Amino acid sequence: MQAVSSLSADRATRYRELGPMFAALFHGEPDLVANLANAAALLREALPQASWTGFYLFKDGGLVLGPFQGKVACVRIALGRGVCGTAAAERRTIIVPDVEAFPGHIACDAGSRSEIVVPILAGGRLLAVIDVDSYEPAAFDEEDARTLEAVAAQIAALDWD
Ligand code: SME
């Protein structure tokens, strides 16, 4: 596996490196929790503007906290609630440049200023969401969205059953 410390400083280059890096990380390892734990860590390395990177898993009709990097977070989020629950319910990426302007935003960490949530889908089936928060306002853009959507597709291809 390529060392994480070899991630490039330039964002566009670094984001291009992520696909092969995630593939190498997951290669030959069937354990989902182990893979998601390492994925949360690699995302934290790759997105230096992030204060929190992690997963909420879709279980029994709601979202439950999964592997993450950052401060202690809310454990359960109902579909349709907050940024995570909205992205999950609508099965689409949501970029929130100002969390205070997002109706129903769930403040797990009062320091959070912006957020991006990307659903992990297998066909139409909702598996989880990737959640990334930042202490900086407007920390995420379309390039982050496209990059995290590609990561979500790689994670969707793991063994979820
Ligand atoms: N802010 C999220 C909740 C999850 S924490 O940020 C880790 C939301 O509104 O869904």
Side-chain angles (χ1 to χ4, degrees):
M1 192 184 102
Q2 195 179 2
V4 169
S5 58
S6 69
L7 278 169
S8 296
D10 171 66
R11 183 174 80 150
T13 310
R14 191 167 69 246
Y15 282 7
R16 275 198 303 277
E17 292 166 349
L18 277 183
M21 220 172 248
F22 273 106
L25 199 58
F26 299 152
H27 182 73
E29 178 47 68
D31 191 275
L32 183 66
V33 171
N35 284 328
L36 293 181
N38 261 338
L42 182 51
L43 287 174
R44 186 79 185 266
E45 294 277 347
L47 289 95
Q49 75 274 43
S51 55
W52 196 97
T53 56
F55 300 92
Y56 279 90
L57 312 181
F58 183 58
K59 285 184 185 173
D60 303 325
L63 296 175
V64 183
L65 183 64
F68 69 94
Q69 292 260 316
K71 286 191 184 175
V72 166
C74 323
V75 175
R76 293 183 186 270
I77 299 175
L79 280 206
R81 296 286 313 279
V83 186
C84 291
T86 304
E90 298 180 4
R91 287 162 168 67
R92 65 181 180 93
T93 297
I94 299 183
I95 297 172
V96 181
D98 174 4
V99 295
E100 283 168 22
F102 187 93
H105 169 256
I106 302 164
C108 296
D109 178 346
S112 285
R113 287 290 163 267
S114 60
E115 178 165 1
I116 182 169
V117 180
V118 176
I120 300 175
L121 305 166
R125 180 181 161 213
L126 175 69
L127 300 172
V129 299
I130 302 173
D131 181 22
V132 184
D133 297 309
S134 178
Y135 290 161
E136 300 163 25
F140 307 107
D141 61 15
E142 288 301 321
E143 194 178 350
D144 297 296
R146 301 294 88 79
T147 301
L148 290 173
E149 284 164 0
V151 171
Q154 284 181 281
I155 291 172
L158 295 172
D159 184 5
W160 283 79
D161 297 313

